[in-house]
Amino acid sequence: MRKIGVLVSGRGSNLQAIMDRIADGFLPLEIAVVISDKEDAFALERAGMAGIKNVVIPRKGCASKEEFEAKITAELQAAGCELVVLAGFMRILSADFVNTWEHKIINIHPAILPSFPGLHGQKQALDYGVKVAGCTVHFVDAGTDSGPIILQKVVPVMDDDTEDSLSERILVQEHIAMPEALKLWAENKLEIVGRKVRIKA
Ligand code: GRF
């Protein structure tokens, strides 16, 4: 079974979706470690309840970003992870970290990239007035939400949507998209060609 590490900062509903799809046999993967930069992240409890190793690495406990990321890499490597999944991890990773894990980091973003990268993708979409929104699962490169796209899911934007109602609608799709992308990765069906991700049959 291929091993992955999941980086989180908060609620962990995407982590839960991955755990659920492993438990029901859809995903042929093992979560070897969950790492949070926030000690009060509910995601840690979710991992603990599932018997998954979980570790807190607070940024403020490290003298530099390099040290912080070196600790994360050490945990991931010690656990034998082949892939790093960012599931609501709220820190920008350095180019060094991204190079160490080149083509081995997957992120989920709550917008149809390349529109609305960065924070509050759902609010950005709502404020802009788009008629469809959604989520994107992508490989991480050194930019912000700019790496090769694996898959995207679309939802309608309603006239009376609030940031919360739109976020909820998108989240349902996030919980489908991330496991789908991870299954493709686990089955070696993703091939990165320049900016594009080809999905092999
Ligand atoms: C999700 O909306 C995800 O797209 C974004 O952060 C949120 C994390 O939610 N990157 P959760 O912690 O997985 O519930």
Side-chain angles (χ1 to χ4, degrees), residues 10-15 87-88 90 108-110 122 171 174:
R11 169 179 68 176
S13 70
N14 279 287
L15 168 68
M90 299 308 286
I108 183 144
H109 181 73
Q122 306 97 325
L171 195 62
E174 291 186 40

Side-chain angles (χ1 to χ4, degrees), residues 6 8 10-12 15-16 19 31-36 39 41-56:
V6 183
V8 295
R11 169 179 68 176
L15 168 68
Q16 188 68 55
M19 294 190 311
I31 302 177
V33 65
V34 170
I35 302 173
S36 174
E39 63 186 298
F42 185 59
L44 291 166
E45 280 182 49
R46 294 182 193 266
M49 284 187 285
I52 296 169
K53 181 179 182 197
N54 54 101
V55 181
V56 184

Side-chain angles (χ1 to χ4, degrees), residues 88-190:
F89 183 67
M90 299 308 286
R91 287 185 182 274
I92 305 281
L93 295 161
S94 72
D96 274 353
F97 185 92
V98 172
N99 289 336
T100 301
W101 294 94
E102 195 187 8
H103 296 163
K104 290 179 182 158
I105 311 174
I106 287 180
N107 180 46
I108 183 144
H109 181 73
I112 299 295
L113 293 170
S115 293
F116 317 127
L119 291 175
H120 310 298
Q122 306 97 325
K123 182 170 189 305
Q124 291 185 55
L126 206 53
D127 290 349
Y128 195 92
V130 292
K131 300 296 187 190
V132 291
C135 61
T136 303
V137 185
H138 64 94
F139 284 106
V140 172
D141 67 8
T144 301
D145 300 322
S146 56
I149 291 171
I150 301 168
L151 57 85
Q152 299 181 300
K153 301 277 181 193
V154 173
V155 302
V157 179
M158 308 299 186
D159 286 346
D160 60 353
D161 262 334
T162 60
E163 184 181 355
D164 281 352
S165 65
L166 179 59
S167 298
E168 246 177 71
R169 194 174 306 120
I170 293 172
L171 195 62
V172 172
Q173 296 305 313
E174 291 186 40
H175 297 163
I176 297 168
M178 181 61 106
E180 271 183 19
L182 291 179
K183 188 177 175 77
L184 292 168
W185 176 83
E187 293 175 343
N188 282 314
K189 288 188 175 159
L190 299 179

